[in-house]
Amino acid sequence: MARLVLGVGGGIAAFKSAQLASLLRKRGHRVRVILTPAAARFVTPLTFESLTGEPVYHDLWNPPRYGDPDEALGEAHIHLSRWAEGALVAPATADLLGQLASGQARDGLTAFLLAFGGPVFLAPAMHHRMWLHPAVQEGVERLKRWGYRIFGPVKGPLASGEEGLGRMLEPAELADLFEDHLHGRDMEGKRVLVTAGPTQEPLDAVRHISNPSSGKMGYALAQAAFGRGAEVILVSGPTSLPDPYGVEVIRVRRAVEMYEEVARRFPEVDILVAAAAVADHRPKGMQAGKIRKEDLPFQVELEPNPDILKEMGLRKKPGQVLVGFAAEWGMDEASARRKLREKHLDLVVLNDVSRPGEGFEADTNRALLVAEEGKEELPLLSKRELAHRILDAVARRLSRG
Ligand code: CTP
């Protein structure tokens, strides 16, 4: 739970920032909003006041009173710069980016941003030709050099009715990314490979063997690792999830395809997290076309798929960290330890898939982290929170060398 400033610029995406403010508050953060005068023409201060339960700062010359004990020590923008632990600017308009990149402070938001020393995340939104203007692009490069994190814009329909690179990320995506980044930057300079989702093993052109893995755990891990500064590659089986922002996504279908992609990228990574529910077997010899109902066999001959994680365990170089999952019927620690040894892993995330609301398709998960030197029992967590706890354990291992 953090003390956050949400800065809102004057663009049509400002209406989405109302939802963002509400989301951040629902997640337990204290949110104080600063609107630029232009933003206050799109969405009223009262909207944000009602959503956050905090006064809204929208007029540099007439700042609100927050009622904090140390408030008398400086002007509102200075006071907020001491109060806040992180700041998110959404939408960051061309004008806001330009002011910030050239050190100007014409309103309460830019005054605050110049005074604030903590992490600042910018979510640009504007017409795609404005975004591509060299003044904006050079400003963005400069801001990145100074340590500002920029999320988006992404491609999509714009207010003008055109399509282009200029849309702000969605509020839920921004809230996730922001929280992930606030975790710290302990994965900076690391390359992380994540496998996710199920695999499908075709019997013919229209039938396959698979499992109900949603991919949520692996996608949460990929997003969380990116948030903590890593370069992330996600090799995903078929899922209905959108590509996580900032992550290189390689989509595959069959276990052998997943194996080939992982084997190709494994030598260059520091960390492999295998969250995919890989089908252990595949039908022997896929039939071309569709098998007619009356020709369907009552017994299907299967052959084993490669064990991707085990193979990578054999190729592991010193310093590489390997994390596997074990889906057990009951918390079978002995079996998790066997996997740890047999697959040369550093960490096994043991899930009890017999419990409803946990594992495969659920949004939450209860896990036991098992390592050679010990174990850590975790409570029921959202898959995002669990992703961070797994990465905490990986980061501790990396820092030990
Ligand atoms: N795994 C893999 N390739 C496979 C099978 C599994 O990479 N062909 C990885 C999974 O991504 C997971 C771990 O290995 O990280 C799971 O190991 P597995 O031995 O399949 O254990 P369970 O799924 O728990 O099932 P079982 O104990 O029945 O083998």
Side-chain angles (χ1 to χ4, degrees):
M1 305 318 105
R3 292 188 303 274
L4 309 175
V5 162
L6 172 62
V8 183
I12 183 59
F15 82 94
K16 291 193 195 171
S17 304
Q19 201 185 335
L20 177 59
S22 156
L23 258 176
L24 290 170
R25 189 175 181 207
K26 277 189 198 133
R27 294 186 184 188
H29 304 296
R30 282 188 73 185
V31 184
R32 288 182 175 171
V33 175
I34 312 180
L35 300 177
T36 64
R41 297 176 76 128
F42 281 94
V43 188
T44 67
L46 181 63
T47 305
F48 286 101
E49 246 162 56
S50 316
L51 291 170
T52 60
E54 297 271 357
V56 169
Y57 186 10
H58 60 96
D59 179 354
L60 181 63
W61 306 109
N62 188 20
R65 306 238 8 116
Y66 293 102
D68 299 336
D70 57 347
E71 201 167 349
L73 294 176
E75 305 90 325
H77 58 280
I78 302 299
H79 172 61
L80 280 180
S81 74
R82 276 196 295 259
W83 175 87
E85 292 166 300
L88 173 60
V89 181
T93 57
D95 181 59
L96 265 178
L97 294 170
Q99 281 193 61
L100 194 55
S102 57
Q104 297 178 54
R106 290 201 305 260
D107 52 41
L109 178 53
T110 38
F112 160 78
L113 289 170
L114 291 192
F116 182 53
V120 178
F121 309 98
L122 305 167
M126 65 197 74
H127 186 272
H128 62 97
R129 280 200 298 278
M130 293 170 76
W131 172 249
L132 291 178
H133 192 284
V136 175
Q137 285 302 310
E138 279 190 19
V140 163
E141 281 314 309
R142 190 187 291 177
L143 292 169
K144 280 187 188 161
R145 271 204 312 280
W146 292 344
Y148 289 93
R149 298 302 307 265
I150 318 257
F151 301 141
V154 290
K155 270 204 173 120
L158 304 174
S160 61
E162 296 163 88
E163 283 263 326
L165 187 65
R167 255 178 95 80
M168 191 170 87
L169 285 164
E170 292 306 315
E173 276 178 298
L174 279 176
D176 285 357
L177 279 165
F178 189 38
E179 286 187 318
D180 287 341
H181 281 256
L182 286 175
H183 253 269
R185 311 273 305 149
D186 53 0
M187 298 258 152
E188 195 118 288
K190 298 292 173 206
R191 287 204 169 149
V192 180
L193 178 58
V194 180
T195 69
T199 63
Q200 292 178 353
E201 309 301 329
L203 183 60
D204 66 8
V206 297
R207 300 179 180 90
H208 61 248
I209 296 176
S210 190
N211 62 65
S213 163
S214 64
K216 286 176 192 159
M217 191 64 239
Y219 280 58
L221 277 157
Q223 190 71 91
F226 169 74
R228 293 164 74 145
E231 215 178 289
V232 185
I233 307 158
L234 174 66
V235 181
S236 171
T239 72
S240 57
L241 302 172
D243 289 359
Y245 177 76
V247 169
E248 179 187 346
V249 182
I250 303 172
R251 295 214 179 242
V252 297
R253 185 178 182 209
R254 296 175 301 138
V256 282
E257 293 163 18
M258 187 175 274
Y259 171 76
E260 277 162 21
E261 292 298 337
V262 171
R264 188 164 67 82
R265 305 304 291 269
F266 182 68
E268 69 192 64
V269 304
D270 304 289
I271 301 155
L272 168 64
V273 186
V278 185
D280 294 312
H281 297 90
R282 59 172 180 257
K284 197 168 181 179
M286 178 192 156
Q287 301 264 340
K290 183 184 172 209
I291 308 172
R292 294 168 61 85
K293 185 168 49 184
E294 44 283 15
D295 299 332
L296 267 179
F298 285 101
Q299 281 177 338
V300 178
E301 201 179 337
L302 300 175
E303 59 186 351
N305 271 325
D307 188 322
I308 303 168
L309 187 56
K310 193 170 180 180
E311 285 291 327
M312 298 311 121
L314 294 172
R315 300 176 195 187
K316 183 171 151 183
K317 289 182 302 213
Q320 280 184 316
V321 175
L322 260 63
V323 182
F325 278 71
E328 304 289 348
W329 203 258
M331 276 291 181
D332 186 351
E333 188 186 326
S335 160
R337 291 209 172 272
R338 204 161 42 244
K339 271 169 207 164
L340 191 78
R341 276 192 306 276
E342 277 173 6
K343 300 196 186 191
H344 303 97
L345 306 180
D346 299 278
L347 192 70
V348 168
V349 184
L350 169 58
N351 290 139
D352 176 359
V353 286
S354 69
R355 293 167 182 249
E358 297 171 30
F360 269 23
E361 285 167 292
D363 288 321
T364 51
N365 225 341
R366 189 192 309 269
L368 183 72
L369 304 186
V370 181
E372 199 55 60
E373 66 280 5
K375 62 181 172 183
E376 186 184 354
E377 197 173 338
L378 300 177
L380 187 66
L381 296 169
S382 73
K383 287 187 173 175
R384 276 189 64 231
E385 286 166 321
L386 176 58
H388 279 293
R389 301 293 283 268
I390 294 168
L391 294 179
D392 288 345
V394 171
R396 280 198 297 275
R397 196 161 268 280
L398 288 172
S399 68
R400 282 207 304 268

